[in-house]
């Protein structure tokens, strides 16, 4: 799933990603596209708080591409 937050400033990219994570369900991978450089800092903090994982962060032509994995479904 791609979450396009290009052109939005903090905290909108993180809020859009958090909403998409709820819709995606456990163990999903999402790709955030953001032009706000703060997303490089905000998204890892968000993922740490939610129990998710930042898979990769890349930047090209002023666009951050951040791939995250939602927390897995609880077992037991």
């Amino acid at each position: 799933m791609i979450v396009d937050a290009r052109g939005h400033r903090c905290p909108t990219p993180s809020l859009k990603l958090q909403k998409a994570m709820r819709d995606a369900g456990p163990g999903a991978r999402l790709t955030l596209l953001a032009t706000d450089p703060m997303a490089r800092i905000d998204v890892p903090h968000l993922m740490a708080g939610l129990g998710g994982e930042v898979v990769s962060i890349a930047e090209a032509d002023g666009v951050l591409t951040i791939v995250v994995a939602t927390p897995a479904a609880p077992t037991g």
Side-chain angles (χ1 to χ4, degrees):
M1 174 186 294
I2 297 196
V3 179
D4 190 348
R6 291 175 289 185
H8 294 280
R9 303 292 295 171
C10 175
T12 302
S14 292
L15 294 173
K16 285 181 156 233
L17 179 60
Q18 190 171 9
K19 180 183 182 309
M21 286 174 64
R22 281 193 302 268
D23 296 342
R29 286 200 177 206
L30 294 88
T31 300
L32 174 69
L33 303 176
T35 50
D36 183 354
M38 287 303 295
R40 185 184 292 272
I41 297 166
D42 292 344
V43 171
H45 284 289
L46 173 68
M47 298 311 291
L50 296 176
E53 174 187 2
V54 175
V55 176
S56 66
I57 300 176
E59 185 173 359
D61 299 325
V63 177
L64 286 166
T65 301
I66 304 173
V67 178
V68 301
T70 62
T75 57

